[in-house]
Amino acid sequence: MLEKSKRGEMGLTYLDEAGFAQAQPNRSAWTETGEVHRITAERGKRLNVLAALISRGELFTAKFWETTTAALLGGFLGLLLESVGRPLTFILDNASIHQAKAIQPLLALLKQKGLTLYFLPPDSPELNRVEKLWHKMKYKMKYEWMAFKARNAPTLEANVDKILGGFGSDYRMTFC
């Protein structure tokens, strides 16, 4: 598929979603022996992002301050397919929203318009290139592009927007 994409015979797109929390989870703490440790764990709404990394290096995203559902995913796929204007093969994991019965009729319609879904084997996120974006932004304590700190909702959204908007110019990824 990569070779066909490089030759322009098909559009290849890596799809995934991630959530961004206003306050990072409390992973561990230290307390004097005999004392009870109490951490206030303030929670806020999560900013969820759907992202599609198109083989030409473009990033197509949508943000939601609500749970990412199969219906939102279906709308996202339709908008992306229409925006690109050519058939696309989406590489994605087996998340339940990717295969929900509720959007099967929509996926069948989008298939007629050039949508192909290619599901990765279980437990193989390394095969999805857009996962590298999430790693740069927040996973595995790297936080290379976005500092590990608490934020209010407008600041969190502005920080995420800065990275997504600057992808390809200010924020770059390379693949071997």
Side-chain angles (χ1 to χ4, degrees):
M1 285 194 290
L2 281 173
E3 290 305 316
K4 284 184 176 183
S5 175
K6 286 178 185 176
R7 292 191 302 261
E9 296 172 17
M10 68 181 294
L12 193 57
T13 305
Y14 299 88
L15 176 81
D16 198 29
E17 57 282 328
F20 294 86
Q22 293 177 47
Q24 304 306 324
N26 300 324
R27 298 197 191 284
S28 62
W30 179 86
T31 305
E32 290 282 345
T33 301
E35 291 185 24
V36 176
H37 189 78
R38 297 182 196 279
I39 299 174
T40 57
E42 293 186 31
R43 301 285 183 230
K45 292 178 91 175
R46 291 175 60 83
L47 177 62
N48 291 301
V49 179
L50 276 166
L53 180 60
I54 303 170
S55 55
R56 297 183 303 227
E58 302 163 82
L59 185 66
F60 190 87
T61 63
K63 302 181 319 280
F64 309 97
W65 284 101
E66 57 188 80
T67 302
T68 306
T69 63
L72 288 173
L73 173 69
F76 178 80
L77 292 171
L79 286 173
L80 178 54
L81 197 58
E82 183 178 314
S83 172
V84 172
R86 65 186 170 111
L88 290 174
T89 297
F90 289 87
I91 296 176
L92 63 166
D93 61 26
N94 291 281
S96 59
I97 66 166
H98 299 164
Q99 301 181 46
K101 289 181 183 179
I103 63 164
Q104 292 308 310
L106 175 59
L107 294 179
L109 177 64
L110 293 175
K111 185 175 182 178
Q112 293 173 10
K113 296 184 179 216
L115 171 84
T116 303
L117 299 179
Y118 179 84
F119 292 98
L120 292 170
D123 301 317
S124 57
E126 71 282 358
L127 299 177
N128 189 338
R129 290 184 172 190
V130 79
E131 287 280 359
K132 303 301 181 209
L133 171 66
W134 309 140
H135 283 264
K136 293 264 189 191
M137 290 177 77
K138 67 174 205 157
Y139 285 150
K140 304 216 184 209
M141 302 303 286
K142 286 186 179 184
Y143 297 90
E144 186 177 333
W145 290 351
M146 200 163 105
F148 181 84
K149 66 179 184 179
R151 298 168 172 83
N152 61 26
T155 303
L156 175 62
E157 189 163 3
N159 291 166
V160 169
D161 282 345
K162 180 181 178 198
I163 294 169
L164 298 177
F167 184 81
S169 56
D170 299 329
Y171 299 93
R172 295 177 176 266
M173 296 187 315
T174 55
F175 300 97
C176 298

